[in-house]
């Protein structure tokens, strides 16, 4: 058995279908909050917070999907099934929250903040132009951070939490 967030904890089948939440455009819903962060200087705070709610709902949907799929496998006992479903849910939720909400949200927020600070200090652009430039910079960063963050979160979890799962399985 392996611990794989893409297939669910306890997966032994390497030939599963495409992961709807990791390998299709639905994955972009997890980055809704990055769009909110990029537009933070131009939109009301409630919209930024709403973008985090959308991204969090995506994380919960993926958690529910992987937990359900894990529960539908055949298990030796009900307690084994319950343990594996709980591990799958925990692993998926932690992975998604880190890879889709926390790390990329912080990254885009800081990129925009540094950009806005630098332009306000060393640029002669009008404030509205600076806001649009900051937003454009934040939006342009999103495609470049997805894969490195996903891989980094996989590495982090493989070296920390998932080591404990192996002992529990």
């Amino acid at each position: 058995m392996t611990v794989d967030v893409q297939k669910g904890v306890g997966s032994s089948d390497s030939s599963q279908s495409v992961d709807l939440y990791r390998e299709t455009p639905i994955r972009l819903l997890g980055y809704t909050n990055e769009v909110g962060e990029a537009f933070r200087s131009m939109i009301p705070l409630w919209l930024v917070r709403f973008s985090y709610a959308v991204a969090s709902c995506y994380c919960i949907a993926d958690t529910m999907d992987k937990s359900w799929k894990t529960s539908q496998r055949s298990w030796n006992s009900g307690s084994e099934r319950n343990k594996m479903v709980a591990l799958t849910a925990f692993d998926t939720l932690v992975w998604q929250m880190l890879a889709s909400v926390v790390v990329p949200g912080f990254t885009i927020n800081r990129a925009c903040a540094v950009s806005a600070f630098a332009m306000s200090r060393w640029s002669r652009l009008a404030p509205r132009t600076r806001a649009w430039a900051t937003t454009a910079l934040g939006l342009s960063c999103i495609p470049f951070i997805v894969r490195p963050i996903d891989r980094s979160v996989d590495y982090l979890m493989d070296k920390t939490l998932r080591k404990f799962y192996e002992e529990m399985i």
Side-chain angles (χ1 to χ4, degrees):
M1 254 188 241
T2 62
V3 178
D4 187 341
V5 74
Q6 290 186 35
K7 296 178 179 73
V9 174
S11 174
S12 59
D13 180 15
S14 62
S15 63
Q16 288 187 342
S17 61
V18 172
D19 184 340
L20 182 68
Y21 293 93
R22 290 265 324 249
E23 300 167 356
T24 68
I26 290 174
R27 173 77 175 101
L28 299 176
L29 285 173
Y31 285 85
T32 308
N33 61 308
E34 282 68 68
V35 174
E37 285 294 346
F39 278 96
R40 181 181 279 271
S41 65
M42 303 177 71
I43 62 174
L45 184 58
W46 70 266
L47 269 176
V48 176
R49 290 181 178 152
F50 180 73
S51 72
Y52 274 87
V54 171
S56 296
C57 286
Y58 160 82
C59 296
I60 292 167
D62 187 30
T63 300
M64 291 171 59
D65 177 63
K66 286 188 176 59
S67 298
W68 172 255
K69 288 176 181 173
T70 299
S71 75
Q72 297 306 299
R73 293 191 192 124
S74 42
W75 298 101
N76 294 329
S77 67
S79 65
E80 181 186 26
R81 180 178 59 81
N82 292 343
K83 179 171 68 169
M84 297 313 290
V85 168
L87 283 173
T88 298
F90 180 76
D91 186 80
T92 304
L93 187 60
V94 169
W95 190 92
Q96 283 292 5
M97 290 304 291
L98 287 172
S100 299
V101 180
V102 176
V103 176
F106 178 79
T107 302
I108 299 300
N109 178 282
R110 294 297 83 203
C112 290
V114 168
S115 168
F117 174 78
M119 282 192 277
S120 70
R121 188 128 192 223
W122 296 297
S123 166
R124 294 184 182 162
L125 294 173
R128 192 74 175 154
T129 304
R130 287 194 310 257
W132 276 107
T134 297
T135 298
L137 175 91
L139 291 173
S140 67
C141 289
I142 295 171
F144 298 104
I145 67 172
V146 175
R147 292 259 189 246
I149 289 174
D150 286 359
R151 285 190 300 250
S152 297
V153 171
D154 273 331
Y155 179 80
L156 173 72
M157 290 186 65
D158 286 345
K159 297 298 181 189
T160 58
L161 290 175
R162 291 181 182 151
K163 287 187 178 209
F164 295 111
Y165 303 163
E166 294 293 336
E167 294 172 12
M168 296 175 78
I169 296 176

